[in-house]
Amino acid sequence: MGLIGVVKCLNQEGELCTKFPSDDLKLGSQIVVYPSQVAFFVKGGAICDEFTSGTYTIETENIPILNKLINLPFGDQSPFKAEVWYVSQLAKLDFKWGTIIPLQIEDPKYHIIVPIRANGQYGIKVTNPRAFLECFIGNQESLSSSRIEQYFRSLILSKLISSIAKKILFNQISVLDINIYLDEISHYCRESINPSFQKYGLDIIEFNIISINLPDNDSSVQTL
């Protein structure tokens, strides 16, 4: 592949981060960043610069850190090698979650342990692209939303168990009335879980508990 004159990347469904397929760049090349994208120059694992939406011309003056790392000559069309990564800030809203095994919750009204199952949906958005890139990208070419879902699945479920139990206890909510409080519990769970996402450059922008179910054939439920 020859020297690249224009660097750009269209947002692909499900892709949160993508590396431009060539690192053969030259001074005078243009980098195009579409809305809801942030582009990064990376050399030797170091982030040299970042660009928000717009069109930019690669020059030694506007990428001084890159110039120091590569020792670019001051000449028109001078070639150099550097990776360009694109991070998408489009919201992804269709992540599903559900308890694999019943959660053992103590009913604060009847003081018995009751097994419940819960399921719902959440959405995420990259709000700190630099932190996201530094945390997740190693030697891979891209990072999909499905990979992120896999990374955080166990964390969500473990935090969820604790959050639901605390909310029920703090507000003295009986499991028989729990579905009345789904919106309130959903908000509480989001506030509890979100800090674990934020340190990776992500934010939970929606978190909904769709249903909380009690197994009718369980002996503890039958006594309520």
Side-chain angles (χ1 to χ4, degrees):
M1 182 180 293
L3 296 177
I4 302 300
V6 178
V7 178
K8 61 182 178 180
C9 178
L10 297 176
N11 283 325
Q12 300 295 323
E13 177 68 26
E15 292 293 331
L16 295 178
C17 190
T18 305
K19 183 173 73 172
F20 187 73
S22 174
D23 61 357
D24 293 319
L25 306 177
K26 63 180 179 179
L27 293 182
S29 294
Q30 287 191 325
I31 176 169
V32 180
V33 186
Y34 295 110
S36 300
Q37 288 182 337
V38 178
F40 293 89
F41 272 91
V42 179
K43 178 66 176 177
I47 294 177
C48 303
D49 211 339
E50 65 181 86
F51 299 90
T52 55
S53 59
T55 300
Y56 306 86
T57 300
I58 302 174
E59 299 172 342
T60 54
E61 293 84 359
N62 62 19
I63 316 178
I65 298 178
L66 183 64
N67 187 32
K68 290 179 181 179
L69 289 175
I70 304 177
N71 193 25
L72 291 173
F74 288 88
D76 187 36
Q77 305 292 304
S78 297
F80 64 94
K81 286 186 176 291
E83 297 174 356
V84 182
W85 285 88
Y86 282 85
V87 176
S88 172
Q89 292 191 279
L90 293 174
K92 180 72 174 173
L93 302 174
D94 57 354
F95 291 105
K96 305 290 194 304
W97 63 266
T99 55
I100 300 173
I101 60 175
L103 311 180
Q104 302 299 317
I105 301 295
E106 181 179 0
D107 188 293
K109 180 178 180 180
Y110 297 98
H111 302 291
I112 61 173
I113 303 297
V114 180
I116 63 172
R117 290 185 180 274
N119 66 83
Q121 186 169 316
Y122 70 98
I124 63 169
K125 181 179 180 180
V126 177
T127 52
N128 187 336
R130 180 179 286 260
F132 180 79
L133 188 70
E134 291 174 337
C135 287
F136 286 108
I137 298 301
N139 58 0
Q140 49 193 333
E141 300 290 326
S142 64
L143 182 64
S144 67
S145 56
S146 60
R147 291 283 297 279
I148 292 295
E149 185 178 19
Q150 293 172 12
Y151 288 151
F152 287 102
R153 180 175 293 140
S154 60
L155 182 147
I156 282 182
L157 291 178
S158 63
K159 292 279 187 181
L160 189 69
I161 294 170
S162 174
S163 298
I164 291 178
K166 287 179 180 178
K167 185 64 176 175
I168 287 176
L169 180 62
F170 184 78
N171 290 86
Q172 295 293 290
I173 301 171
S174 172
V175 293
L176 294 179
D177 302 322
I178 199 169
N179 282 298
I180 301 174
Y181 297 90
L182 287 185
D183 288 344
E184 187 176 334
I185 297 173
S186 295
H187 178 75
Y188 181 81
C189 289
R190 179 193 175 276
E191 294 300 307
S192 300
I193 297 171
N194 199 42
S196 297
F197 279 72
Q198 288 177 325
K199 62 184 180 182
Y200 296 103
L202 294 161
D203 259 293
I204 298 178
I205 56 177
E206 293 285 346
F207 189 92
N208 297 306
I209 299 175
I210 296 175
S211 68
I212 296 180
N213 303 310
L214 287 72
D216 295 333
N217 59 351
D218 188 273
S219 58
S220 60
V221 177
Q222 294 172 355
T223 62
L224 297 177

